[in-house]
Amino acid sequence: FLPPLFGVRKRISDGRGETTLGPLRFPFDVVGLDLRYRSPLSGLVDVLEPDGDGFRGYATFRGRGLGRFALSRAEPARTSSLT
């Protein structure tokens, strides 16, 4: 059992992406709705299912369930300008 992982982000583009936690970055490949992690997390797969405007996710390692999560699009960062 893991507590909520605040600050974890996923960036996905062109069939690949990465999960970030602070300065740590973990690359993955997108295969259908699966996010298949590369080394050093080989064997870890996030399985996604559409859910409204986002996705429900199930983290698995070598086919065994590890946990669940929700995935939603992050709001773009706001910028301001001084005039």
Side-chain angles (χ1 to χ4, degrees), residues 4-28:
L5 300 174
F6 297 107
V8 173
R9 300 282 185 256
K10 293 185 186 303
R11 294 186 180 133
I12 303 170
S13 179
D14 298 325
R16 61 181 171 222
E18 66 182 8
T19 296
T20 60
L21 175 58
L24 303 175
R25 298 182 185 283
F26 303 102
F28 58 79

Side-chain angles (χ1 to χ4, degrees), residues 27-47:
F28 58 79
D29 295 311
V30 179
V31 179
L33 289 176
D34 292 353
L35 309 179
R36 299 176 183 253
Y37 285 84
R38 293 185 235 140
S39 182
L41 298 180
S42 299
L44 182 66
V45 178
D46 288 341
V47 180

Side-chain angles (χ1 to χ4, degrees), residues 44-61:
L44 182 66
V45 178
D46 288 341
V47 180
L48 304 179
E49 295 178 357
D51 185 28
D53 290 337
F55 294 88
R56 280 186 311 238
Y58 302 92
T60 65
F61 183 71

